[in-house]
Amino acid sequence: MLLLGACAGWSLITAAAHDGRPEGMLLAVLAVAAGYAAGRVSGALLPVAAPCAGAVAGLALTVARPGLSPGPWYTAPLGHAGATAALLALATGAACCAAWATPVPALRHGLRALACAVVAAGAVLGSTAGCAASAAVLLCSLAAGAARGRGAWLAGPALAAGLAATVIWALAADALPGGLTGALDDRFAARRAGLWRDALGLAGRHSGLGVGPGRFGELSTAAPRTLMSDGRPHSAPLQQAAEQGLVGVFLLVAVFCWVLYALWRTPRSTPVALTAGAALTAVAALASVSNALSFTAVTAGAALLAGWATARPWAGVGTAPGR
């Protein structure tokens, strides 16, 4: 709660300094707080049914709104592709968490079949990133059954998310080797890379307070020329750096690290904790290259999953944190 309060307070400070619009950040903080609280409560009462319902809801949302998936995530116009991929990863994580939480073998197999259906849905919808992220979460969940300790297994997701953000930051700064830069430029649309470079430039000139929440679209030279531009740089770390300075980036990283710490200390079983960590890492990686966190469904869904994975079931289900 202290971290979320700091995120909300800092957005108000930077908005006041530069006449920004903090409503988007405040809505995200509210969605995370409400989602996490709802996840803790429902996870304590219904440790299997709650994440199962969440997985079905996430799958239904992506199928019912085909506009969330305009095509392959790296060539599609800047739109909803990142949110679609993130929702599919969260739905897979929720189904796998429910599977590990139930003691009934038949139900466990059924929930894993639901997770496989989410992966297949990503392919049918044309969401390459969603299919890949969901498959990665499913594989990590299956491997989590053999894990004994949590620390090293949760350090991996933290490093993976940090590596994704670092690579995008280095690409925006033209700090990567020429061959790697060319390969990544071929994978990402030029307009997306242009937004990242604009965001990094603004962050370099306004590293203290940033330019103010919601003002990237006004000051960016690439955004007005970008097809279907929504005024965002389509990278959560770079957006925080440009609009709220280095403190904003620190707060974003701190929230993610706290979630991983909470998963390390959770009374739920180790496979549940590691599955949730994998799904949230997938969302963090997608947020580094898209505007996934700009969608309330994604931020609330991620908080719900974190709440389910850290809830203390009243029935006594779960193991000690180190196991």
Side-chain angles (χ1 to χ4, degrees):
M1 291 301 101
L2 289 175
L3 280 175
L4 292 180
C7 290
W10 185 249
S11 69
L12 291 173
I13 292 172
T14 54
H18 295 291
D19 195 24
R21 297 181 296 277
E23 292 81 8
M25 186 65 181
L26 296 177
L27 178 61
V29 170
L30 180 61
V32 169
Y36 185 71
R40 287 296 296 260
V41 173
S42 60
L45 296 172
L46 304 167
V48 177
C52 176
V56 173
L59 178 60
L61 181 60
T62 54
V63 172
R65 297 191 60 186
L68 285 176
S69 181
W73 67 284
Y74 53 85
T75 58
L78 303 185
H80 302 162
T84 296
L87 284 175
L88 290 172
L90 291 172
T92 304
C96 291
C97 284
W100 281 116
T102 179
V104 182
L107 182 56
R108 177 171 295 178
H109 292 315
L111 289 168
R112 285 178 178 161
L114 173 60
C116 293
V118 176
V119 177
V124 172
L125 291 173
S127 176
T128 305
C131 183
S134 299
V137 172
L138 178 58
L139 292 176
C140 288
S141 179
L142 295 175
R148 291 296 177 266
R150 299 184 183 182
W153 287 80
L154 286 174
L159 292 175
L163 179 61
T166 301
V167 169
I168 297 305
W169 200 293
L171 177 62
D174 293 324
L176 293 174
L180 184 56
T181 299
L184 289 176
D185 279 338
D186 290 339
R187 297 295 292 176
F188 295 105
R191 55 187 179 275
R192 191 182 297 262
L195 292 172
W196 293 341
R197 293 186 175 97
D198 260 13
L200 188 60
L202 290 174
R205 295 191 296 272
H206 304 274
S207 59
L209 295 174
V211 299
R215 298 194 66 221
F216 173 80
E218 301 174 9
L219 302 177
S220 170
T221 58
R225 302 193 305 269
T226 300
L227 182 65
M228 294 177 63
S229 173
D230 56 2
R232 299 184 178 93
H234 287 251
S235 172
L238 288 174
Q239 180 172 351
Q240 285 293 96
E243 296 186 346
Q244 299 187 41
L246 295 179
V247 174
V249 177
F250 170 79
L251 291 173
L252 182 66
V253 173
V255 170
F256 179 69
C257 291
W258 183 87
V259 170
L260 293 181
Y261 173 77
L263 292 174
W264 178 56
R265 298 297 303 169
T266 179
R268 301 297 297 274
S269 66
T270 292
V272 170
L274 298 184
T275 297
L280 294 173
T281 297
V283 173
L286 289 167
S288 295
V289 297
S290 73
N291 64 338
L293 295 186
S294 299
F295 292 81
T296 303
V298 174
T299 52
L304 271 170
L305 180 60
W308 290 326
T310 56
R312 184 182 299 274
W314 288 1
V317 179
T319 61
R323 301 178 60 188

